[in-house]
Amino acid sequence: MRGIEFYWDDRRCAEFRSEPRLRCLGMWLTGDVQSVHELCLDLLADLVDIAAGRKEHESWEGNAWAAELSPDGADLQNLYVPDLSAHYPLAEVRRAAEQYWRLLTDDPDRDRALSESESDNGRPHPWDGL
């Protein structure tokens, strides 16, 4: 396998397959972003804004992971397993988040989440892949 791929399991839970190097990234997206459209949209907006220089950094803390996003990339740290951490370039995190969003888009709740995200943030969503 090359890279990372996301899929629904038989219980309709988001899962991933990846090369070992991308394991933490897959665990973070499926475990903390989960299948919550709004969280994935927020992550995509942060990644676009950081890459464009509109934000310097963003911190995320979820169920099991802490993430620090910056122009240098994403530093992921599991909150319960100290040895479970990784650094990924920002572009690689963005590609994985975009792929994860595509998994979530087969749900009719997608349009409501996008509308709500744009309303809450007072602007059109900055990612052009919607």
Side-chain angles (χ1 to χ4, degrees), residues 5-69:
E5 66 180 274
F6 299 96
Y7 63 95
W8 296 113
D9 71 9
D10 58 352
R11 297 170 293 136
R12 189 133 173 101
C13 293
E15 293 289 342
F16 73 97
R17 291 182 203 82
S18 73
E19 58 187 55
R21 183 183 69 75
L22 297 173
R23 188 170 155 239
C24 289
L25 183 55
M27 291 170 66
W28 176 51
L29 290 170
T30 59
D32 274 12
V33 175
Q34 299 176 346
S35 57
V36 180
H37 294 82
E38 293 84 353
L39 290 177
C40 195
L41 288 168
D42 288 347
L43 174 59
L44 285 166
D46 286 344
L47 293 167
V48 168
D49 286 344
I50 289 169
R54 290 187 293 268
K55 275 188 175 181
E56 289 184 31
H57 72 287
E58 190 64 50
S59 297
W60 283 64
E61 188 167 320
N63 299 323
W65 293 89
E68 292 294 326
L69 308 176

Side-chain angles (χ1 to χ4, degrees), residues 15 22 44 52 56 70 92 103 112 117 121 123:
E15 293 289 342
L22 297 173
L44 285 166
E56 289 184 31
S70 73
E92 190 166 44
L103 176 75
R112 182 211 48 82
S117 171
N121 291 297
R123 67 175 180 163

Side-chain angles (χ1 to χ4, degrees), residues 44-127:
L44 285 166
D46 286 344
L47 293 167
V48 168
D49 286 344
I50 289 169
R54 290 187 293 268
K55 275 188 175 181
E56 289 184 31
H57 72 287
E58 190 64 50
S59 297
W60 283 64
E61 188 167 320
N63 299 323
W65 293 89
E68 292 294 326
L69 308 176
S70 73
D72 293 330
D75 291 305
L76 304 180
Q77 176 62 58
N78 186 280
L79 299 173
Y80 303 102
V81 182
D83 294 337
L84 203 52
S85 64
H87 174 84
Y88 301 101
L90 198 65
E92 190 166 44
V93 176
R94 180 174 169 170
R95 282 190 304 272
E98 290 169 349
Q99 187 176 347
Y100 193 59
W101 172 253
R102 285 190 289 279
L103 176 75
L104 300 182
T105 61
D106 71 358
D107 182 327
D109 196 42
R110 165 198 186 279
D111 293 331
R112 182 211 48 82
L114 178 58
S115 177
E116 191 172 296
S117 171
E118 292 180 338
S119 177
D120 288 350
N121 291 297
R123 67 175 180 163
H125 197 280
W127 182 50

